[in-house]
Amino acid sequence: MEPNIEKSWKEVLREEFEQPYMKDLKAFLKKEYKEYTVYPPAKLIFEAFNETPFDDVKVVILGQDPYHKAGQSHGLAFSVPRNITIPPSLRNIYKALKYDYEDFNIPTHGNLSFWAEQGILLLNTTLTVRENTPGSHQNHGWERFTDKVISLLSDKKESVVFLLWGKPAQAKTTLIDIDKHHILITVHPSPLSAHRGFLTCKHFSQTNELLIKQGKSPIDWQIPF
């Protein structure tokens, strides 16, 4: 399986792409894309990796499934293209940012590429989904692949800030060396749980404090309009 993926990621994931389960996953996806509408478009499956090279990763924000409605998913967790309505979870992320930084201006769109370009890996644990069928591509190999991604970041990098929102993301703590990296935990930004601590978590300013302590440049969270 030779995906369209940025070169520093291709290098660290080379052996993983040769694993038998990845060949099975490729066959599954070929069939799914042929028979159903699947998101994101095939050329954008690895977009999170292409926008944030391995060498540049400073922060990881972990999602689950891609968005499953038309036009929403473009390969970055929580993000949607500019012309698409901002989903509820992302609205809550913006609200939490406004609580954290009073001068944060809530954007009129939901494209988070500006964050990705600064070293935030916006990683979903499953990278594809069938239209209107959340969870449809779970347990076909993606989780094993993205667990490996998290493990490689833990093993090969230093002082990455992992933002783990909600129980499924927090379950990945076991893959991360907490002696080398930083983990910030709260509930998921979904409307079902955001009021239980997400909106006031201040993870964004905490992330920047951790980056500054390491001598790294902080994230500019203000997405251009």
Side-chain angles (χ1 to χ4, degrees), residues 131-217:
E131 184 175 38
N132 297 326
T133 319
S136 49
H137 285 189
Q138 291 177 6
N139 304 313
H140 286 281
W142 277 135
E143 294 89 345
R144 181 172 166 184
F145 175 76
T146 53
D147 279 2
K148 184 66 175 180
V149 168
I150 296 165
S151 296
L152 284 165
L153 287 165
S154 177
D155 293 346
K156 293 179 177 290
K157 294 188 73 79
E158 300 283 337
S159 301
V160 174
V161 183
F162 290 86
L163 305 184
L164 304 182
W165 300 336
K167 285 193 169 63
Q170 288 160 27
K172 306 298 181 185
T173 304
T174 54
L175 303 170
I176 302 163
D177 183 344
I178 56 172
D179 294 325
K180 286 172 63 187
H181 302 283
H182 308 281
I183 298 175
L184 300 179
I185 283 174
T186 188
V187 295
H188 195 273
S190 152
L192 299 173
S193 54
H195 60 281
R196 297 205 303 269
F198 181 80
L199 297 173
T200 55
C201 70
K202 295 202 166 195
H203 276 188
F204 310 97
S205 58
Q206 288 176 48
T207 294
N208 278 348
E209 284 165 17
L210 290 165
L211 292 174
I212 290 164
K213 270 185 193 165
Q214 301 163 37
K216 296 178 184 175
S217 53

Side-chain angles (χ1 to χ4, degrees), residues 48-62:
F49 302 88
N50 293 333
E51 292 202 22
T52 313
F54 181 83
D55 297 342
D56 296 346
V57 175
K58 299 194 288 195
V59 179
V60 178
I61 297 179
L62 210 54

Side-chain angles (χ1 to χ4, degrees), residues 9 46-61 74-77 79 111-123 219-221 223-224:
W9 280 109
F46 294 103
E47 189 64 10
F49 302 88
N50 293 333
E51 292 202 22
T52 313
F54 181 83
D55 297 342
D56 296 346
V57 175
K58 299 194 288 195
V59 179
V60 178
I61 297 179
H74 65 138
L76 306 179
S79 181
N111 189 326
L112 304 181
S113 290
F114 183 64
W115 292 356
E117 290 159 10
Q118 296 179 74
I120 300 180
L121 180 66
L122 295 160
L123 179 67
I219 302 299
D220 178 0
W221 296 103
I223 290 162

Side-chain angles (χ1 to χ4, degrees), residues 60-71:
V60 178
I61 297 179
L62 210 54
Q64 289 171 256
D65 263 20
Y67 295 122
H68 56 82
K69 296 193 184 309

